[in-house]
């Protein structure tokens, strides 16, 4: 081998190493599909993703959050966000499978393009396997609902309304079904009170609907909502109906206002899925996979459910004050 050919080979090897080092130094470009920016629940998911993103950014990468403007057309709008992320040639994507019939085709395009995908928050491990995603990070919504239904019955409730302001959304439907099945085991019952998606986060609409439902059916002795914000609205509706002492209130997810009601005895419980961890773990896992080929063998990676009630609310408040719970 001549000196010139050796030199060329050395230069080629050096260039390859430099290219690989440069790619690693650039860090991954991770896109996260989530909820509305002003949604209190999703702000906690985003905080987790942003905190995990500090490590990504330190390596020269980026974490980009994409969310819908409203929830009125959730499935199709979310599918557009997935395709928008894919068009940016990302290194990885995180997303919830809220409405499978509208979103699955877009997720399959992500996997077909060879982009690592993690499903989080909605869809469960079933969706992750169906779509070819690496993993699922979040709570099992049906199981969470069952736990809520059983907790209601143990607390004496026999007829619970599940207030659903996102009807058709897979995770919310699973929650309400879980509540009904959990109560049925102990001889209780739960029916769904579906409201238009425009009611989500609308205090007046939810309060009026809850008040009307309680006035119509005097046997209802429990209300559970699919979001912490809706629980505050439901509390208003219960008060307006004059039934604070008769109707027990529970909710999926937590916020400081709900925790304060648990402390003062006007709310029974919250079902926590630790949204901060959903964003944090999903981004961290993809960053580790893209940069180093690391994979977590546990699947799914569950962040809930857990019941927050009078017995543990004080400990939960510290996390809430930090914006992580």
């Amino acid at each position: 081998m001549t000196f010139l050919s050796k030199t060329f080979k050395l230069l080629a090897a050096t260039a390859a190493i430099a290219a690989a080092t440069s790619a690693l130094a650039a860090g991954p470009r991770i896109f996260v599909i989530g909820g509305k920016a002003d949604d209190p629940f999703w702000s906690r998911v985003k905080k987790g993703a942003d905190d995990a993103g500090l490590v990504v950014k330190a390596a020269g990468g980026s974490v980009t959050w994409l969310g819908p403007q409203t929830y009125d057309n959730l499935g199709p709008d979310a599918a557009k966000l997935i395709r928008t992320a894919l068009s940016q040639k990302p290194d990885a994507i995180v997303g919830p499978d809220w409405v499978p019939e509208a979103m699955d085709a877009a997720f399959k395009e992500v996997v077909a393009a060879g982009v690592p995908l993690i499903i989080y928050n909605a869809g469960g491990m079933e969706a992750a396997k169906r779509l070819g995603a690496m993993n699922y990070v979040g709570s099992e919504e049906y199981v969470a609902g069952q736990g809520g239904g059983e907790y209601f019955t143990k607390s004496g409730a026999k007829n619970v309304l599940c207030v659903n302001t996102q009807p058709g959304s897979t995770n919310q439907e699973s929650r309400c079904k879980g509540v009904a099945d959990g109560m049925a085991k102990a001889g209780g019952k739960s029916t769904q009170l579906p409201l238009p998606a425009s009611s989500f986060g609308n205090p007046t609409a939810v309060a009026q609907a809850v008040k009307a439902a309680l006035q119509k059916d005097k046997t209802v002795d429990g209300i559970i909502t699919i979001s912490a914000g809706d629980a505050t609205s439901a509390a208003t509706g219960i008060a307006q109906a004059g039934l604070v002492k008769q109707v027990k209130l529970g909710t999926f997810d937590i916020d400081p206002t709900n925790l304060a009601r648990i402390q003062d005895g006007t709310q029974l419980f919250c079902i926590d899925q630790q949204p901060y961890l959903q964003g944090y773990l999903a981004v961290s896992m993809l960053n580790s996979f893209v940069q180093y080929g690391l994979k977590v063998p546990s699947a799914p990676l569950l962040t809930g459910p857990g019941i927050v009630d009078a017995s543990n609310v004080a400990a939960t408040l510290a996390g809430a004050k930090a914006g992580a719970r």
Side-chain angles (χ1 to χ4, degrees):
M1 182 180 293
T2 66
F3 174 77
L4 190 58
S5 63
K6 287 181 180 180
T7 301
F8 280 141
K9 283 196 172 185
L10 179 61
L11 288 173
T14 303
I17 293 171
T21 303
S22 175
L24 185 62
R29 298 172 67 243
I30 300 173
F31 283 75
V32 182
I33 313 301
K36 290 169 54 182
D38 60 352
D39 184 328
F41 174 86
W42 283 99
S43 70
R44 290 169 175 77
V45 181
K46 187 176 185 299
K47 177 173 172 55
D50 288 344
D51 284 355
L54 296 175
V55 176
V56 180
K57 291 176 183 177
S62 63
V63 175
T64 302
W65 182 273
L66 298 176
Q69 295 297 312
T70 72
Y71 294 137
D72 295 346
N73 195 35
L74 185 60
D77 286 350
K80 290 178 183 177
L81 293 176
I82 296 165
R83 292 187 171 102
T84 295
L86 185 58
S87 72
Q88 300 303 306
K89 301 190 182 303
D91 294 299
I93 290 177
V94 181
D97 196 22
W98 285 316
V99 187
E101 58 269 26
M103 300 172 66
D104 279 8
F107 278 132
K108 288 178 180 178
E109 290 171 20
V110 172
V111 174
V115 176
L117 170 68
I118 283 181
I119 299 297
Y120 78 148
N121 179 257
M125 197 63 208
E126 179 183 345
K129 290 179 178 178
R130 182 177 71 248
L131 298 170
M134 285 175 50
N135 209 330
Y136 171 74
V137 179
S139 183
E140 292 289 356
E141 303 294 6
Y142 176 76
V143 175
Q146 277 187 310
E150 291 170 4
Y151 193 92
F152 265 123
T153 59
K154 289 177 183 177
S155 302
K158 297 179 180 179
N159 184 7
V160 171
L161 282 182
C162 184
V163 182
N164 187 355
T165 50
Q166 292 181 349
S169 173
T170 301
N171 53 334
Q172 312 306 353
E173 296 290 344
S174 295
R175 287 176 168 184
C176 287
K177 186 178 189 311
V179 171
D181 290 351
M183 292 199 68
K185 287 182 179 180
K189 71 172 185 177
S190 177
T191 54
Q192 189 176 147
L193 176 62
L195 301 177
S198 57
S199 298
F200 181 86
N202 184 326
T204 302
V206 174
Q208 289 180 345
V210 168
K211 177 183 176 182
L214 292 174
Q215 290 175 333
K216 182 179 179 180
D217 186 350
K218 301 296 184 180
T219 69
V220 173
D221 54 7
I223 295 286
I224 187 166
T225 62
I226 56 95
S227 76
D230 284 344
T232 297
S233 305
T236 300
I238 294 170
Q240 289 175 348
L243 296 171
V244 173
K245 293 183 179 180
Q246 292 87 350
V247 177
K248 297 175 172 63
L249 176 62
T251 188
F252 291 88
D253 305 325
I254 66 175
D255 68 11
T257 304
N258 282 270
L259 297 178
R261 280 196 298 271
I262 291 175
Q263 270 197 320
D264 68 25
T266 58
Q267 181 164 328
L268 189 59
F269 68 94
C270 294
I271 302 174
D272 186 21
Q273 61 173 304
Q274 301 186 109
Y276 175 90
L277 280 182
Q278 294 178 15
Y280 187 89
L281 292 174
V283 170
S284 296
M285 288 166 63
L286 284 174
N287 179 51
S288 297
F289 177 73
V290 173
Q291 293 220 78
Y292 313 117
L294 297 173
K295 291 184 72 174
V296 175
S298 300
L301 197 59
L302 297 179
T303 63
I307 296 288
V308 178
D309 60 11
S311 70
N312 58 3
V313 66
T316 308
L317 278 165
K321 288 178 181 178
R325 298 198 70 179

